[in-house]
Amino acid sequence: GYASLVSEAVGGPSPGDSRPARIEPAVPLSALLDVGDGAEIALAHRTHGYPMRSIAHEIGCAVSTVSRRLARFEAQRAATERV
């Protein structure tokens, strides 16, 4: 119907679609990741919204590795903020 037509025209989700609309980040992932450390991963994931799967693919490791690096970075940052 009309709602579907408008939704498709503006690029939004179709009626009944519960998935959030995908918005492409403005900064390319390759520009955010140099060495793939926790700080870069946090910036790409938390600030720019890149999925861990995309980050893992870009730096050539498993998603679990990205998750561990991010968790370690955030734990270290939280510990230094408490001091």
Side-chain angles (χ1 to χ4, degrees):
Y2 179 75
S4 296
L5 180 65
V6 170
S7 181
E8 288 177 22
V10 297
S14 59
D17 188 356
S18 62
R19 296 175 297 173
R22 183 171 175 99
I23 300 171
E24 290 299 318
V27 180
L29 187 54
S30 59
L32 298 171
L33 299 171
D34 183 34
V35 295
D37 65 6
E40 292 175 353
I41 291 170
L43 179 68
H45 182 64
R46 300 282 187 221
T47 305
H48 293 278
Y50 280 99
M52 286 190 197
R53 179 183 233 176
S54 297
I55 295 169
H57 183 265
E58 182 70 25
I59 61 177
C61 67
V63 175
S64 60
T65 301
V66 170
S67 178
R68 282 192 307 272
R69 288 180 187 176
L70 179 60
R72 188 178 313 121
F73 170 76
E74 290 178 340
Q76 290 170 345
R77 187 174 69 185
T80 58
E81 288 175 357
R82 279 180 269 173
V83 174

